[in-house]
Amino acid sequence: MHFDAVFTNGRFRTMDPERPEVHAIGVIGGRIRALDDDVTRFPATQTLDLGGAPAVPAFNDVHHHLSLRGQRLNGVDLRATTIGSMDALYAAVEEAAAAAQPGEWVYGAGYDQNKLGDAHPLAAELDRRAPDNPVWLEHVSAHMGVANSRAFEIAGFPDLADVPDVDGGHVARTADGRTAAGLIEERAMDLITRVYKPLPVDTIVDNIRTASEQALSEGIGSITEPGIGTIAGLGNSPLDLHAYLTARETGALGVRATVMPYLTALHRVIGAAGAEGTGLDLGLRSGMGDEWLRIGPVKVLTDGSLIGRSAAMTCCYHGEESSGYMAWDVAELTELVRGAYRVGFRIAAHAIGDAAVDHALDIIEGIQRDYPRPDPRNRIEHFGVASDEQIARTARLGVIGVPQPRFITELGDGMARALGPERAQLAYRVRSLLDAGMRVPGSSDAPVVEGGPLLGIHDFVNRRTASGAEFGPAETITVEQALRAYTVDSAYASHEEDIKGTLSIGKVADFTVLSDDLLQVPAEALRDVGVGATVVGGEVRFDDGALGN
């Protein structure tokens, strides 16, 4: 036996209870083939020394919009950490337009009205700053955005008074109620995205490359991208899977990826037995692919966001007369999801408001009853606001809730204002899910918030908003539970626990070298732990000086 690579002098926390810590790993063909003393018995092409540094299985973010993250990194950065005021936002748009060709789209993303005086940008002001360019500014949540008049004109509405209302969405109007103000929400975003997209394949590949490099620097070895294959909503193009394959073939894809087709990318198909369903040609469905790129569940948005106050709630938002809304007619949504499940797709339903959670659970319970299959591990993405009864029902159905702890820090103050103090205790619960016997994976929803798993682990444990306020303190978990979320339980949520999640013989050689042992640093210092190196498939994909020969 000859190892491709040997990694020595490390403190590998394996997450495998049978062998919790090892100090050397031998790799052949991207897999772990030997541990500790067995590693020294055979020669190796390459030997790398961790210098005594701690290491863990590479982080696995199971809700991470990789291609969108790359697009935002390559666009105009409108996040609150960069843009501190509405004037600064407009100035950034003006600067980007000045650098663009006339008629070229100006794309910016990441603004949050909660941090801009509870105001959204206005089309009229964007027209003044970018008179010769269509402008599309994507909200941090990706559930709404603002277009200028030139963008609406390209979409077929030269007069803003002619912009129509859209079912399952919202078009903001000026004070007289007649003219579109620029802001459009949820399914109304299709008015602009259908002309802004599809993005060219080369652009998508470049976005994947940019985001892969960022993810690797954060210790991420695997991601799941929810919602590809459409020009409406979260997708880039009907050729998204082709772009991912191209990224893999050219080396642009640096992490392992599971991709979720969006529900509207599916279409009617007839099976051999004549049974109708909603799927993809040739019977492509969940599970197709390999350890580097595979098709996961089908993704569907059922409602909006808390900070945008478009998530579907059972009662009104705090101090308001609105309770949000569903993105679909429930009967139509049920039929589409049933069709997808019937041809073999698993389901990943975005549901943030408690009313949306109820509808998602109703649909999932119905399809499991009518088309039973073993261990489907259907998911509810975000699982934003949930009662004890809803958690118990979710556990009983074997559904996986996928909350994002980073929302608490970056968006928590806005969520708390939207929900009020009582209902905020029901938001983004974690300990209650674990206590109910559920497994909680790690995820960020990047680029809605920062994607670094160490930040997510910090927020799992600390649960404080940007202002320092506690957010559901009863839902905190331990560091070990948080680390398990981003490794073992993420692998479980992805149906990949047989190949990843622990550093065990036969599994993929994916691990992250850290500056400190997560279980030894103070809880408040977890976000300050650094990533020294990221190894995926036994290859060093990122190294900040942690690995020596």
Side-chain angles (χ1 to χ4, degrees), residues 246-269:
T246 301
R248 176 184 173 178
E249 292 162 354
T250 59
L253 179 62
V255 297
R256 303 183 193 275
T258 297
V259 293
M260 295 182 183
Y262 190 68
L263 185 65
T264 55
L266 277 54
H267 56 81
R268 280 290 181 190
V269 294

Side-chain angles (χ1 to χ4, degrees), residues 3 30 116 126 130 197 220 235-236 309 335 361 374 472 508 516 520:
F3 294 117
L116 293 173
L126 294 175
K197 301 175 182 177
I220 296 173
N236 306 288
R309 306 191 183 193
E335 182 62 25
L361 290 173
V508 293
D516 293 286
Q520 299 298 322

Side-chain angles (χ1 to χ4, degrees), residues 62-63 224-227 234 258-263 286 296-302 333 337 340-341 345-351 360 363-364 367 376-382 399-400 402 493:
V62 300
H63 191 116
T224 297
E225 170 141 1
L234 299 171
T258 297
V259 293
M260 295 182 183
Y262 190 68
L263 185 65
S286 301
V298 65
K299 168 71 183 297
V300 57
L301 290 170
T302 71
L333 177 64
V337 172
Y341 200 72
F345 276 99
R346 299 192 301 275
I347 306 303
H350 163 121
I363 293 170
I364 290 172
I367 59 178
R377 301 185 202 175
N378 295 310
R379 299 166 38 156
I380 294 184
E381 308 301 304
H382 309 299
V399 174
I400 298 171
V402 187

Side-chain angles (χ1 to χ4, degrees), residues 341-539:
Y341 200 72
R342 190 170 185 172
V343 301
F345 276 99
R346 299 192 301 275
I347 306 303
H350 163 121
I352 289 183
D354 53 357
V357 169
D358 276 335
H359 287 304
L361 290 173
D362 288 345
I363 293 170
I364 290 172
E365 185 168 19
I367 59 178
Q368 286 182 346
R369 178 190 63 240
D370 296 340
Y371 310 114
R373 71 174 73 156
D375 195 22
R377 301 185 202 175
N378 295 310
R379 299 166 38 156
I380 294 184
E381 308 301 304
H382 309 299
F383 204 60
V385 180
S387 66
D388 291 345
E389 293 77 16
Q390 288 175 315
I391 291 173
R393 184 185 181 196
T394 305
R396 176 174 58 81
L397 293 173
V399 174
I400 298 171
V402 187
Q404 290 71 45
R406 188 62 188 168
F407 278 19
I408 294 167
T409 290
E410 295 194 31
L411 310 177
D413 289 317
M415 293 192 299
R417 287 196 297 272
L419 293 172
E422 183 176 345
R423 280 191 295 169
Q425 307 308 308
L426 303 180
Y428 289 90
R429 303 173 75 179
V430 181
R431 177 166 293 281
S432 294
L433 275 61
L434 295 177
D435 289 346
M438 297 171 63
R439 299 175 72 162
V440 179
S443 72
S444 66
D445 201 17
V448 173
V449 294
E450 291 290 345
L454 291 166
L455 298 176
I457 289 171
H458 177 275
D459 295 331
F460 264 135
V461 174
N462 291 281
R463 292 184 69 96
R464 286 187 178 272
T465 70
S467 69
E470 289 185 327
F471 191 96
E475 298 295 331
T476 60
I477 61 174
T478 68
V479 178
E480 189 165 9
Q481 288 170 326
L483 178 57
R484 181 181 174 88
Y486 269 101
T487 54
V488 176
D489 289 343
S490 281
Y492 176 84
S494 303
H495 264 276
E496 293 183 295
E497 70 271 23
D498 57 331
I499 65 167
K500 65 176 66 167
T502 66
L503 298 177
S504 308
I505 291 176
K507 293 192 176 183
V508 293
D510 298 1
F511 62 86
T512 299
V513 182
L514 301 173
S515 63
D516 293 286
D517 187 335
L518 293 176
L519 272 63
Q520 299 298 322
V521 301
E524 62 274 13
L526 287 165
R527 61 188 171 194
D528 300 321
V529 174
V531 173
T534 305
V535 174
V536 184
E539 295 186 14

Side-chain angles (χ1 to χ4, degrees), residues 64-73 211 214 218 446-447 450-451:
H64 188 119
H65 299 275
L66 193 74
S67 62
L68 178 60
R69 192 180 193 193
Q71 182 184 3
R72 288 193 177 183
L73 287 169
Q214 180 66 32
E218 296 164 342
E450 291 290 345

Side-chain angles (χ1 to χ4, degrees), residues 35-162:
L35 300 170
D36 280 349
D37 291 345
D38 289 340
V39 172
T40 62
R41 296 172 56 197
F42 302 99
T45 300
Q46 184 182 32
T47 299
L48 295 163
D49 191 323
L50 274 67
V56 296
F59 299 126
N60 185 348
D61 187 331
V62 300
H63 191 116
H64 188 119
H65 299 275
L66 193 74
S67 62
L68 178 60
R69 192 180 193 193
Q71 182 184 3
R72 288 193 177 183
L73 287 169
N74 290 329
V76 182
D77 185 0
L78 301 180
R79 293 173 299 170
T81 52
T82 303
I83 300 296
S85 67
M86 190 67 76
D87 286 343
L89 181 148
Y90 288 134
V93 171
E94 185 172 12
E95 181 179 354
Q101 296 295 318
E104 181 181 352
W105 280 87
V106 172
Y107 169 81
Y111 86 89
D112 181 353
Q113 85 283 3
N114 292 289
K115 300 175 183 178
L116 293 173
D118 289 325
H120 294 271
L122 297 172
E125 185 62 26
L126 294 175
D127 293 343
R128 191 171 73 82
R129 302 301 183 111
D132 301 320
N133 299 85
V135 176
W136 176 235
L137 305 184
E138 196 170 63
H139 187 262
V140 63
S141 68
H143 284 267
M144 61 188 74
V146 176
N148 70 345
S149 298
R150 181 72 179 118
F152 279 115
E153 180 183 352
I154 294 171
F157 308 106
D159 188 339
L160 294 186
D162 294 333

